[in-house]
Amino acid sequence: YEVLASKLQDYRRLLKTCDVVILSDYGKGGLAHIARMIALARRAGIPVLVDPKGDDYSLYRGATLVTPNRAELRAVTGGWNSEQALTAKVQRLRQKLGLGGVLVTRSEEGMTLFRRGNRLHVPAIAREVYDVSGAGDTVIATIGVMLAAGEDMESAVRIANRAAGIVVGKFGAAVVHPAELLATGEQRA
């Protein structure tokens, strides 16, 4: 814990050089100071994206975006039997924790972004799926890059959905290249 406190000082210093912060919580204790990290970044006007783990989302209070998959969200909110029930549960969670948004990744159903007063659903791009490992990492990384480049959240989510569709069509740990994203966008235009 004390080692992590010294790393918090490094984080504070490096924050001045960041356009966006991505925190991926693997539940191993490495983000013991995550609440402080989020608060520092938000105070500096830097968006914070969190890939959550566990069932205590209060740790992520104030984040710009939290990106659970369906199973991770279900562990926190309980199940739902309709889109309206899902929307109500996510919006309550978002409001209670002061989250800018919650992006639920839904595998073959695509992804749904919940923000104050609105909901954007982006369907999955139909393609053959070979390997879903890394899809969530691809989504959050793509959103981070797009926000840092000046895109708005909805555009970033749409591009991240395309990136996820590409990466699941590859075997193993894969990357998405800009040319692939552009080609995908042109095919859908």
Side-chain angles (χ1 to χ4, degrees):
Y1 193 76
E2 195 55 42
V3 169
L4 296 176
S6 72
K7 293 300 168 198
L8 187 58
Q9 294 305 317
D10 292 340
Y11 171 83
R12 184 175 305 181
R13 181 178 40 78
L14 292 170
L15 201 53
K16 296 172 184 137
T17 67
C18 296
D19 294 315
V20 67
V21 170
I22 298 174
L23 300 169
S24 193
D25 189 350
Y26 290 95
K28 306 287 185 193
L31 293 178
H33 299 287
I34 192 167
R36 185 79 180 122
M37 294 168 79
I38 292 169
L40 287 167
R42 299 300 289 147
R43 197 170 311 131
I46 299 170
V48 179
L49 314 180
V50 179
D51 183 5
K53 289 293 175 266
D55 58 7
D56 182 8
Y57 280 28
S58 67
L59 300 170
Y60 314 127
R61 184 176 309 280
T64 307
L65 185 71
V66 176
T67 63
N69 63 35
R70 288 182 295 202
E72 291 165 338
L73 181 66
R74 196 172 287 116
V76 173
T77 66
W80 54 87
N81 57 10
S82 69
E83 288 298 309
Q84 292 84 1
L86 170 63
T87 297
K89 286 181 179 242
V90 174
Q91 290 291 18
R92 268 194 306 275
L93 177 69
R94 189 197 58 72
Q95 185 174 11
K96 175 183 171 187
L97 298 179
L99 302 170
V102 176
L103 177 67
V104 182
T105 56
R106 304 172 71 177
S107 300
E108 71 283 349
E109 295 175 12
M111 53 185 69
T112 308
L113 174 65
F114 299 89
R115 294 169 72 191
R116 183 177 183 200
N118 89 19
R119 174 186 190 276
L120 169 70
H121 181 73
V122 183
I125 298 169
R127 61 177 64 237
E128 195 163 350
V129 175
Y130 294 106
D131 190 345
V132 298
S133 59
D137 294 332
T138 297
V139 167
I140 199 167
T142 302
I143 292 171
V145 167
M146 294 293 97
L147 292 177
E151 287 290 330
D152 63 63
M153 184 65 76
E154 290 188 4
S155 295
V157 166
R158 290 180 191 282
I159 294 167
N161 187 56
R162 275 190 267 161
I166 293 166
V167 83
V168 299
K170 298 178 178 186
F171 287 107
V175 297
V176 176
H177 299 281
E180 292 173 297
L181 273 177
L182 292 173
T184 303
E186 291 166 4
Q187 291 169 358
R188 298 197 70 214

